[in-house]
Amino acid sequence: MSTRGLPDGTAHALDRLDRPELRPAAVAESLSRWRRIAAMPRSALADPHNDITEFVAPAVRDHLERAVRALGRRAARPLRATVDPLDRQFEAKTLNNPRLDPAAPWWARRWWH
């Protein structure tokens, strides 16, 4: 792991994409933020009208998903393996919002309630 927790192969593959929004440092920052969010206690994520659950987490997770999708399957595998357990942590601490568009990614349909 080189760029603040980002697997080396993933960082090199992101460099090769040459997309400013997917620079290794930017993706590493999102990964770091996703780790911090997933590690938050359920009580913090369940606060009513919680900006982290409703806005910050979906934006961070969207950025990670864009990185995963931009990479080839092989290059994305280490990043996906790092993100998946964090996803499970976040999902376990939040609830699905049945009022939101079911076509939206699962992390954009979580809420505090």
Side-chain angles (χ1 to χ4, degrees), residues 33-34 36-38 40 44-47 49-60 90 94 107 110:
R33 291 178 76 192
W34 192 235
R36 287 192 307 271
I37 291 167
M40 292 178 80
L45 294 172
D47 283 343
H49 306 291
N50 185 322
D51 285 349
I52 293 171
T53 303
E54 294 183 47
F55 304 109
V56 177
V60 169
F90 180 75
T94 57
W107 58 84
R110 307 310 285 176

Side-chain angles (χ1 to χ4, degrees), residues 10-11 27 36 49 59 84 94 100-101 109:
T10 302
V27 175
R36 287 192 307 271
H49 306 291
D84 283 349
T94 57
L100 295 178
D101 182 359
R109 293 182 279 118

Side-chain angles (χ1 to χ4, degrees), residues 84-108:
D84 283 349
L86 302 174
D87 287 351
R88 288 191 294 275
Q89 287 178 1
F90 180 75
E91 190 171 21
K93 296 174 187 178
T94 57
L95 297 172
N96 183 56
N97 184 340
R99 295 183 183 122
L100 295 178
D101 182 359
W106 69 265
W107 58 84

Side-chain angles (χ1 to χ4, degrees), residues 8-41:
D8 289 334
T10 302
H12 295 304
L14 289 167
D15 268 338
R16 287 190 298 276
L17 291 176
D18 196 28
R19 290 175 54 181
E21 75 279 10
L22 296 179
R23 292 182 330 274
V27 175
E29 177 60 28
S30 287
L31 183 58
S32 176
R33 291 178 76 192
W34 192 235
R35 276 192 182 105
R36 287 192 307 271
I37 291 167
M40 292 178 80

Side-chain angles (χ1 to χ4, degrees), residues 61-79:
R61 186 57 183 80
D62 278 341
H63 187 233
L64 291 170
E65 189 66 18
R66 284 193 308 274
V68 165
R69 290 176 183 261
L71 295 167
R73 185 175 296 168
R74 186 172 183 213
R77 193 172 297 131
L79 181 57

